[in-house]
Amino acid sequence: MLGTACTRVEERIQAALGEQEKGASIEFESCLDVPKGGVLCALPALLGNGLLNDIERHLGKLTGYYQTFHILLLSTYAKLI
């Protein structure tokens, strides 16, 4: 089974050609197991309280498939597992 990024070819091509300014859309999908996934249950509340407000101003803006907040959230989650 391919990962989500491997199945979203159109978005990757647009990002590679510089035609996608906002980055990839966030899409949640069901899965069988996510290690320490319970931490992700707190994410909506944290985002609602401004966890990522003005994040691009502080860390810079990335262009392409992944946005700054994608990288920040993924690297934070990776440290938990």
Side-chain angles (χ1 to χ4, degrees):
M1 179 174 211
L2 296 174
T4 300
C6 296
T7 60
R8 296 167 67 181
V9 177
E10 295 84 14
E11 287 181 300
R12 286 202 170 270
I13 291 172
Q14 288 175 343
L17 296 174
E19 298 173 359
Q20 191 177 36
E21 291 183 26
K22 290 188 132 189
S25 60
I26 297 173
E27 297 177 17
F28 290 97
E29 300 174 3
S30 63
C31 65
L32 298 177
D33 187 25
V34 177
K36 298 188 182 172
V39 174
L40 298 175
C41 292
L43 191 57
L46 293 171
L47 292 173
N49 282 307
L51 175 68
L52 299 178
N53 287 355
D54 297 324
I55 197 70
E56 290 180 344
R57 186 181 68 173
H58 298 291
L59 298 177
K61 182 175 178 156
L62 297 175
T63 58
Y65 189 76
Y66 294 108
Q67 296 176 351
T68 304
F69 75 94
H70 289 130
I71 302 298
L72 179 65
L73 289 178
L74 288 171
S75 63
T76 303
Y77 179 71
K79 290 181 182 181
L80 294 173
I81 55 174

